[in-house]
Amino acid sequence: GHIADPRAQRPLLGLLESSSQEVRLAALTALGSVMDKRAAGPLVRLLDDRSRKIRLRAIRHLGQVGSHLATPRLMRVARSTDRTLARAAVSALARSRDARAAPVLVQLLSHRDRTLRRLASQALARIHDPRSAEAILDLCRDALGGVRVTCLQALGGALRGRSHDGAFALLEEVLTGKDRAAALAAVDALAAMRDPRIPGMLVRSYPALDPQLRRPVIAILGNIPDQADVVLPRLLSALKSDESPLRSAGAWSLGKLGHTGAVNALLTAARDPEWPVRVNAAAALARLGRPEARATLRTLLSDPVSHVRANAVLGLGRTGDARSIPTILQLT
C-alpha cells in the first residue's frame, strides 16, 4: 500500500476474500493507493461483509472509484437506519454522479438527520440532473423549516445554469417571505440558475428584503453582465449605503459587472474609510483597467492595508501606467 504500485491491485483484491477480518481490513487499507474502477466489483461484494468497519471502508472506496456498478447497492445503503453508513453511501453516490441515484437522494432531502439532508442536497447538485427538479420542487412547496431550506438548496443545484417557471415563482415567493433561512437558500438557488427574469425580480424586490438578504443579492447582481443596464443603478446605490458590508459587496459586484459607467463611483469608493470597501473598489478598478483610474490607484500604493496596495499594483499594471513603475519596484 505504501509503495502504491498499481500491479498490487490484483493480489490485494484477492485478499478481500480472506477468512481473516484483519487481513481483509489491511487489504482494503492498502487498496486505497492503487485501485481503479476494476476494484468496483469486489468492493460491492464487501457490502455484505459481517464487519461494519469493512463495509464502511468499502463504501468510501467505492466513492473514490466512482463506478456506476455500485449505484444500486449504495442506494439501498443510503436508505438504511445506520446513519454513518448512509452518509458514506450518499457521499459515494455524489462522487459517482450517477443520475439513477436522484430519486433516492430526493427522498433523503426530508430525512430527520440534518447531515444526511445536506449530503443529499450536495449530491444532487453534483449529479446535476434537471429531471429531478420537479420532484424537488414538489417537496419544497410542502416542506417547512430546515427541510425546506435543504430542498431549496438542492433545487438550485439541480437547475444550475437553467430556467424553470415553477422554480422561479416559488423562489420569488420565498425570497420576500418571513423565513430568513429559507430566503437565504432561495438567494443561493437564484444565483445558481440562469433566467433572464431574475435580475429584474431581484431589483424590484430589493427594497422590501430583509437586511440580511441585501448583501447576497447585491453579490448576485454582479454576475449578470448581459443585463447591466437593469442592475447597474441598484449596484451604484449600494456604494452609497450607510452599511460598509453593502458598499463592499457593491464595489465587488461592479467589478464583476465590468460596466464603464461605474468608474467614477468606484473612484470615490476607493477612498472609503473602511478598508474592505477600498480593497474591493481597487480590485474592481483593476478589473476595469480604465486609464482614468491611474491617479487614484497611485494614491492607493501607500494605503496601510496590503490587499489594497496589491490590487492597486494590479490595476496600474493593467492600465499600463509606466509612471508608477519606480514605486511598484520599491514595493517589491
Side-chain angles (χ1 to χ4, degrees), residues 140-222:
C140 287
R141 291 191 180 106
D142 298 332
L144 298 172
V147 173
R148 193 177 207 199
V149 169
T150 307
C151 290
L152 292 168
Q153 292 168 339
L155 186 63
L159 291 173
R160 187 172 63 253
R162 293 177 177 267
S163 175
H164 189 287
D165 290 344
F168 179 84
L170 176 66
L171 293 171
E172 182 178 14
E173 176 187 336
V174 173
L175 182 68
T176 54
K178 296 182 180 180
D179 187 334
R180 180 186 295 174
L184 282 169
V187 171
D188 290 339
L190 289 165
M193 293 172 62
R194 187 165 186 83
D195 188 315
R197 297 170 293 180
I198 290 175
M201 183 271 284
L202 291 176
V203 169
R204 290 192 306 272
S205 304
Y206 186 86
L209 291 180
D210 185 296
Q212 295 296 320
L213 297 176
R214 291 179 178 175
R215 185 177 183 182
V217 165
I218 290 295
I220 291 177
L221 293 177

Side-chain angles (χ1 to χ4, degrees), residues 5-328:
D5 188 329
R7 294 175 297 177
Q9 179 175 230
R10 174 175 284 186
L12 288 172
L13 289 175
L15 289 173
L16 296 181
E17 304 292 335
S18 171
S19 60
S20 166
Q21 177 180 317
E22 186 176 357
V23 171
R24 296 197 305 277
L25 188 58
L28 264 178
T29 302
L31 266 173
S33 62
V34 300
M35 65 186 177
D36 56 33
K37 290 193 175 182
R38 291 173 294 179
L43 289 172
V44 169
R45 289 194 289 274
L46 281 183
L47 297 182
D48 294 320
D49 197 278
R50 60 181 178 273
S51 166
R52 180 177 179 275
K53 184 181 292 186
I54 287 179
R55 295 199 303 275
L56 180 60
R57 184 68 60 86
I59 291 169
R60 290 171 176 167
H61 278 5
L62 284 167
Q64 184 178 337
V65 169
S67 171
H68 290 191
L69 179 66
T71 298
R73 289 299 308 275
L74 290 174
M75 289 166 60
R76 281 194 296 188
V77 177
R79 293 193 296 259
S80 71
T81 56
D82 188 319
R83 293 189 184 182
T84 301
L85 292 178
R87 292 171 183 175
V90 171
S91 297
L93 289 168
R95 298 186 69 172
S96 73
R97 300 187 179 185
D98 189 341
R100 292 179 297 168
V104 168
L105 294 170
V106 171
Q107 293 173 8
L108 292 175
L109 292 176
S110 58
H111 200 281
R112 60 183 178 182
D113 182 350
R114 182 171 59 181
T115 300
L116 198 54
R117 293 199 309 266
R118 175 177 55 81
L119 291 172
S121 175
Q122 293 171 349
L124 285 164
R126 291 196 67 173
I127 292 172
H128 186 41
D129 183 6
R131 293 172 298 180
S132 63
E134 289 296 338
I136 299 173
L137 185 58
D138 289 341
L139 191 57
C140 287
R141 291 191 180 106
D142 298 332
L144 298 172
V147 173
R148 193 177 207 199
V149 169
T150 307
C151 290
L152 292 168
Q153 292 168 339
L155 186 63
L159 291 173
R160 187 172 63 253
R162 293 177 177 267
S163 175
H164 189 287
D165 290 344
F168 179 84
L170 176 66
L171 293 171
E172 182 178 14
E173 176 187 336
V174 173
L175 182 68
T176 54
K178 296 182 180 180
D179 187 334
R180 180 186 295 174
L184 282 169
V187 171
D188 290 339
L190 289 165
M193 293 172 62
R194 187 165 186 83
D195 188 315
R197 297 170 293 180
I198 290 175
M201 183 271 284
L202 291 176
V203 169
R204 290 192 306 272
S205 304
Y206 186 86
L209 291 180
D210 185 296
Q212 295 296 320
L213 297 176
R214 291 179 178 175
R215 185 177 183 182
V217 165
I218 290 295
I220 291 177
L221 293 177
N223 298 333
I224 316 171
D226 56 344
Q227 295 204 37
D229 292 340
V230 176
V231 303
L232 182 62
R234 174 52 60 193
L235 294 180
L236 290 174
S237 70
L239 282 185
K240 301 176 183 178
S241 170
D242 294 333
E243 302 176 37
S244 63
L246 272 180
R247 298 198 303 274
S248 178
W252 182 253
S253 284
L254 285 167
K256 291 187 293 182
L257 197 67
H259 196 290
T260 56
V263 172
N264 290 335
L266 288 170
L267 291 175
T268 301
R271 298 187 291 272
D272 196 277
E274 298 292 335
W275 68 265
V277 182
R278 298 198 306 276
V279 168
N280 286 347
L285 290 169
R287 186 160 184 170
L288 288 168
R290 301 292 297 177
E292 56 265 40
R294 289 172 180 168
T296 296
L297 291 172
R298 287 190 207 113
T299 64
L300 295 180
L301 292 177
S302 57
D303 194 277
V305 178
S306 61
H307 294 298
V308 178
R309 299 195 301 271
N311 283 321
V313 168
L314 181 61
L316 289 167
R318 288 184 173 173
T319 61
D321 184 37
R323 285 181 52 189
S324 63
I325 291 177
T327 307
I328 292 174

